[in-house]
């Protein structure tokens, strides 16, 4: 079989092979022992290397159309491409502590009504202004009813306040995928309420679903620094049970490629949609995997799509 010379590998594939190797070793570790241990174990290296050697990619010819770009067949390949795109994003280094991150999203969801039944809230805009350093009040403008909410400020760089994360705090997170994975695992329970996305399901999430849930929240209402963003995507590639969806759709109806994971405890799966050309995260959703509280399997419980992110000088100001 012909092999591609090492120097001719596409950009990022050397890192991809390493990441995939780490993933295989980690999954084997978790199956062998609890609690979780570091996954670098020499006895498992040979099998993992064999798996990496078998990794294949399918690339479609570029036609210049809306779907032009690579078609990936593994989570590791997709999230490595997304991480590489995140590493090259520009602009977050020029923020000032006295500025605000502006995020405009559209969302729909179910909520529990007065009669305890689930009530659908149609698609509507939500605008959020989050202080860059976290020391100023967060402003939330709800297009559902036109209301405006001011959430309490925190200390500069504080981890979480008012269910949002400041840019300065996000910049303090690990830029290494190993350390980022460890942070997500150890923090997902501690920040459980912060990670909750309003799916109206109550119970115990499995450990790996909580990791994905928290990661999705970290990406939602701010502009994540490029190094930490890339590390987060590479960490998510190591979560067991995540798979690729070749045609994913966000709340605005934009089609892209996605990842998904089904919870082992609750009847729900999460899905993230990425732009096929830019690798930008377009939206996140939560979908029922069986009939639940009068709703049918396949019902989208919560659906969010990002319209715009920008940096502005004061809360309430639009770019």
């Amino acid at each position: 079989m012909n092999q591609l010379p090492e120097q001719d590998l596409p950009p990022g594939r050397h890192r991809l092979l390493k990441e995939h190797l780490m993933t295989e070793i980690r999954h084997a570790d978790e199956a062998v022992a609890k609690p979780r241990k570091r996954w670098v174990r020499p006895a498992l290296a040979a099998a993992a290397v064999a798996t990496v050697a078998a990794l294949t990619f399918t690339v479609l010819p570029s036609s210049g159309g809306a779907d032009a770009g690579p078609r990936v067949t593994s989570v590791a390949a997709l999230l490595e491409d997304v991480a590489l795109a995140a590493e090259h994003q520009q602009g977050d280094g020029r923020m000032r502590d006295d500025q605000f991150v502006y995020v405009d999203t559209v969302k729909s969801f179910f909520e529990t009504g007065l009669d305890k039944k689930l009530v659908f809230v149609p698609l509507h805009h939500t605008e959020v202004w989050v202080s860059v350093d976290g020391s100023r009040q967060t402003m939330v403008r709800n297009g559902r009813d036109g209301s405006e909410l001011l959430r309490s400020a925190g200390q500069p760089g504080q981890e979480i306040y008012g269910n949002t994360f400041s840019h300065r705090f996000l910049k303090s997170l690990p830029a290494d995928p190993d350390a980022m994975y460890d942070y997500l695992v150890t923090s997902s329970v501690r920040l459980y309420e912060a990670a909750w996305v309003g799916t109206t399901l109550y119970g115990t999430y499995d450990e790996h679903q909580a990791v994905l849930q928290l990661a999705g929240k970290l990406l939602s209402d701010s502009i994540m620094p490029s190094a930490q963003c890339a590390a987060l995507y590479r960490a998510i590639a190591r979560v067991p049970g995540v798979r690729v969806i070749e045609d994913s759709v966000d709340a605005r109806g934009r089609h892209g490629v996605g990842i998904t994971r089904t919870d082992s405890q609750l009847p729900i799966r999460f899905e993230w949609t990425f732009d096929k050309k830019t690798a930008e995260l377009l939206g996140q959703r939560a979908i029922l995997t069986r009939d639940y509280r009068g709703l049918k399997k396949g019902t989208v419980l919560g659906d969010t799509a990002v319209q715009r992110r920008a940096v502005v000088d004061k809360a309430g100001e639009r770019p």
Side-chain angles (χ1 to χ4, degrees), residues 66-297:
D67 294 330
R71 173 178 175 267
V72 291
T73 56
S74 77
V75 170
L78 172 59
L79 290 178
E80 178 59 26
D81 288 342
V82 172
L84 288 169
E87 284 180 331
H88 290 88
Q89 71 183 14
Q90 302 293 325
D92 56 86
R94 295 190 292 271
M95 295 183 191
R96 302 193 314 267
D97 282 347
D98 63 339
Q99 291 182 304
F100 288 79
V101 172
Y102 168 80
V103 183
D104 177 18
T105 63
V106 292
K107 60 180 63 178
S108 63
F109 51 86
F110 280 87
E111 64 181 9
T112 302
L114 296 177
D115 57 359
K116 306 301 182 182
K117 293 183 178 179
L118 295 179
V119 179
F120 180 65
V121 178
L123 199 68
H124 59 279
H125 278 269
T126 297
E127 297 174 288
V128 179
W129 288 264
V130 183
S131 171
V132 167
D133 70 356
S135 67
R136 295 160 181 80
Q137 288 181 312
T138 295
M139 176 182 286
V140 181
R141 191 170 289 163
N142 191 341
R144 174 186 177 185
D145 55 12
S147 63
E148 192 170 281
L149 171 68
L150 289 176
R151 294 175 178 164
S152 299
Q155 297 299 315
Q158 182 177 331
E159 184 170 61
I160 182 169
Y161 64 103
N163 203 34
T164 56
F165 298 89
S166 73
H167 180 80
R168 291 300 175 221
F169 166 70
L170 294 173
K171 200 173 184 66
S172 73
L173 296 182
D176 172 75
D178 286 328
M180 177 63 81
Y181 187 91
D182 288 341
Y183 167 77
L184 292 172
V185 169
T186 58
S187 301
S188 58
V189 174
R190 182 167 51 86
L191 298 179
Y192 187 78
E193 289 300 322
W196 194 256
V197 292
T199 59
T200 71
L201 273 71
Y202 299 94
T204 302
Y205 272 64
D206 69 52
E207 176 190 41
H208 301 300
Q209 197 79 342
V211 166
L212 190 64
Q213 182 98 333
L214 176 57
K217 185 60 182 176
L218 290 171
L219 292 164
S220 296
D221 290 336
S222 190
I223 296 176
M224 198 166 194
S226 56
Q228 284 74 20
C229 191
L232 184 143
Y233 285 126
R234 289 177 177 127
I236 291 302
R238 303 173 185 186
V239 176
V242 179
R243 60 185 178 85
V244 171
I245 297 180
E246 293 186 14
D247 184 22
S248 179
V249 184
D250 75 355
R252 290 183 54 196
R254 297 175 294 187
H255 287 257
V257 63
I259 61 169
T260 187
R261 188 183 187 281
T262 300
D263 194 285
S264 64
Q265 304 295 320
L266 297 174
I268 190 172
R269 70 176 177 86
F270 291 129
E271 183 176 329
W272 295 2
T273 303
F274 298 96
D275 187 284
K276 289 184 178 180
K277 293 191 292 184
T278 67
E280 178 186 5
L281 179 62
L282 300 177
Q284 304 178 43
R285 58 175 40 178
I287 303 168
L288 278 180
T289 57
R290 62 171 170 81
D291 294 354
Y292 177 83
R293 293 182 61 185
L295 300 179
K296 296 294 184 181
K297 174 182 177 180

